[in-house]
């Protein structure tokens, strides 16, 4: 997903590394190219502007310009700022509860149900007893999809009963999950095409019944700048402890999704890079920076 950005940055830094000595102008010119590469990759424009400003400030000191390898020093500052941009230290789910609870939210098609299966698979493999809860009472296909995934992964599932409301389902599942049979309960909440009042009301009611420790938004990285707006809307409406970015295997530009931590302050916990149950990885800001800088 970030190949073009990576290629553009590598080209800029190859030139910069060629200089034995760097002037302020050399640095400014290179950072202008960095800014263009970020914008070209669909990084949010304010994020790109602030990013370059911070790198520029940290590069203008004597320690960089007069160092033996000035180009290398600039690249290091860019790397450090990229790590910060992506969230700094790696963050984990809070799995301390008994059981730990995870409420997954997201728009239709974001990959929420698939991600619920992937998380169940991951935690099951690490020896935890997992309960999946299908909460999309309006879409029998989503319940069926989660049922199939639960079967594949080999974990239990709670499905809505006829006429059951979403909060009632949440309450029933939360009570069941507290009987000592499970280490993690994952609520796959209902999706919508947009964040509207009905969705927010439903999520709030649901959350009041289930009191999840982890409130996580599943976000399609391929939807561009809209991903940032969606994340802000969910954060403001229901609060988020983290984000999962999906579809990083696609060929969309993806820069907007990389801006999502900087804009919302929410940590990116994991990334999805395929449709299979194994295609889910923890997100490490430093590894993502290295991947992009090559
Ligand atoms: P939901 O409506 O948010 O529950 O979305 P689904 O879980 O049904 O996923 C929508 C589509 O995206 C399905 O075809 C999934 O197989 C696909 N999908 C989910 N995550 C990924 C991913 O990380 N990469 C790719 N390529 N496809 C994904």
């Amino acid at each position: 997903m970030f190949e073009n950005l990576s290629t553009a940055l590598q080209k800029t830094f190859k030139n910069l590394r060629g200089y034995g000595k760097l002037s302020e102008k050399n640095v400014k010119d290179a950072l202008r190219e960095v800014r263009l590469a970020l914008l070209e990759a669909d990084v949010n424009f304010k994020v790109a502007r602030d990013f370059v400003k911070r790198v520029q400030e940290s590069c203008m000191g004597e320690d960089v310009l007069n160092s033996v390898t000035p180009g290398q020093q600039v690249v290091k500052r860019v790397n450090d700022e990229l790590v910060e941009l992506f969230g700094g230290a790696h963050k984990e789910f809070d799995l301390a509860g008994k059981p730990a609870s995870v409420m997954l939210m997201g728009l239709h098609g974001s990959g929420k149900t698939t991600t619920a299966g992937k998380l169940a698979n991951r935690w099951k493999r690490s020896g935890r007893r997992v309960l999946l809860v299908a909460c999309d009472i309006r879409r029998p296909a989503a319940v069926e999809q989660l049922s199939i995934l639960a079967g594949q992964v080999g974990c239990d599932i709670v499905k809505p009963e006829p006429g059951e409301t979403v909060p009632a389902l949440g309450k029933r599942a939360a009570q069941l999950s507290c009987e000592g049979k499970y280490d993690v309960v994952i609520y796959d909440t209902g999706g919508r095409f947009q964040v509207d009042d009905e969705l927010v009301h439903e999520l709030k009611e649901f959350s009041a019944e289930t009191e999840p420790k982890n409130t996580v938004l599943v976000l399609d990285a391929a939807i561009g700048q809209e991903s940032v707006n969606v994340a802000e809307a969910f954060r403001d409406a229901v609060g988020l402890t983290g984000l999962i970015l999906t579809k990083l295997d696609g060929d969309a530009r993806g820069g907007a999704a990389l801006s999502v931590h900087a804009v919302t302050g929410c940590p990116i916990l994991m990334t999805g890079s395929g449709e299979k149950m194994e295609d889910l990885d923890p997100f490490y800001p430093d590894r993502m920076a290295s991947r992009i800088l090559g």
Side-chain angles (χ1 to χ4, degrees), residues 51-267:
F51 175 84
V52 165
K53 197 164 158 246
R54 280 197 304 278
V55 177
Q56 190 160 313
E57 278 163 9
S58 91
C59 285
M60 287 308 169
E62 294 294 303
D63 52 334
V64 171
L65 295 179
N66 290 338
S67 91
V68 188
T69 52
Q72 197 57 39
Q73 292 300 321
V74 174
V75 178
K76 186 180 176 313
R77 305 292 161 116
V78 171
N79 180 77
D80 292 350
E81 284 298 336
L82 272 183
V83 175
E84 284 311 309
L85 187 73
F86 301 152
H90 165 67
K91 307 269 184 343
E92 291 276 355
F93 279 85
D94 179 355
L95 295 182
K98 289 224 173 299
S101 48
V102 178
M103 174 163 122
L104 291 183
M105 297 172 277
L107 297 184
H108 269 324
S110 60
K112 186 170 48 58
T113 300
T114 308
T115 303
K118 287 177 177 178
L119 285 171
N121 183 53
R122 186 176 178 85
W123 289 328
K124 175 102 199 301
R125 276 162 193 257
S126 67
R128 292 184 170 91
R129 298 161 305 166
V130 182
L131 177 66
L132 281 167
V133 186
C135 309
D136 203 342
I137 60 168
R138 284 173 212 83
R139 281 204 315 153
V143 176
E144 186 52 29
Q145 187 190 347
L146 195 68
S147 258
I148 293 169
L149 294 177
Q152 273 177 28
V153 170
C155 67
D156 291 348
I157 179 167
V158 173
K159 299 191 233 177
E161 284 172 354
E164 195 171 33
T165 62
V166 175
L169 166 64
K171 190 172 179 181
R172 180 165 65 89
Q175 280 168 352
L176 181 71
S177 74
C178 287
E179 286 172 6
K181 271 174 68 186
Y182 301 102
D183 301 305
V184 190
V185 52
I186 304 171
Y187 300 102
D188 181 25
T189 66
R192 291 281 203 294
F193 287 107
Q194 62 190 49
V195 187
D196 53 27
D197 291 347
E198 198 189 355
L199 174 65
V200 170
H201 180 70
E202 181 174 302
L203 290 173
K204 279 186 171 158
E205 272 196 322
F206 186 80
S207 174
E209 290 295 349
T210 53
E211 299 181 347
K213 266 277 180 64
N214 302 270
T215 48
V216 176
L217 178 67
V218 177
L219 204 53
D220 179 346
I223 63 172
Q225 292 300 326
E226 191 51 21
S227 61
V228 177
N229 302 335
V230 169
E232 281 190 310
F234 272 94
R235 180 201 61 191
D236 295 346
V238 278
L240 295 175
T241 59
L243 305 163
I244 295 179
L245 300 180
T246 62
K247 311 193 191 181
L248 257 64
D249 50 314
D251 52 14
R253 293 181 292 164
L258 290 181
S259 325
V260 83
H261 166 73
V263 177
T264 64
C266 301

